[in-house]
Amino acid sequence: MLLDASGRAVKIGKELGRGGEGAVFEVLGGTDVVAKIYHRAVDATKQKKLAVMAELKTPPLLEIAAWPVDTLYRKDGALVGILL
């Protein structure tokens, strides 16, 4: 189980695709987002970038782009992915 930036549980389902940076999974619970889980540890600079991108989301941007809407963490607090 993963947690979003607010500490809410996020359950991921089956893998939908895989690339060089990470894998994309369905999010269980009828949401309209997917979870991208990175293959490797995310460095501090990229963690900050992803958090800021999620904060800057707007409805018009989300209509045209696969944009981060939240960050995903393990229970130990390590950022491991994003919701988009």
Side-chain angles (χ1 to χ4, degrees):
M1 179 175 26
L2 300 174
L3 304 171
D4 67 14
S6 298
R8 291 182 299 253
V10 176
K11 295 179 183 178
I12 60 172
K14 68 179 179 176
E15 184 175 316
L16 302 173
R18 178 173 287 269
E21 190 175 54
V24 176
F25 296 86
E26 69 178 342
V27 175
L28 301 178
T31 63
D32 59 351
V33 296
V34 294
K36 179 177 181 179
I37 308 299
Y38 294 100
H39 297 312
R40 294 177 186 79
V42 181
D43 67 48
T45 301
K46 187 165 186 166
Q47 288 182 37
K48 180 65 175 169
K49 175 185 171 184
L50 293 169
V52 169
M53 288 177 74
E55 291 173 12
L56 294 175
K57 67 185 176 290
T58 63
L61 179 59
L62 297 177
E63 287 182 21
I64 62 167
W67 192 265
V69 296
D70 210 337
T71 45
L72 290 173
Y73 302 86
R74 291 190 314 234
K75 287 184 180 182
D76 66 4
L79 188 147
V80 295
I82 55 175
L83 294 175
L84 41 98

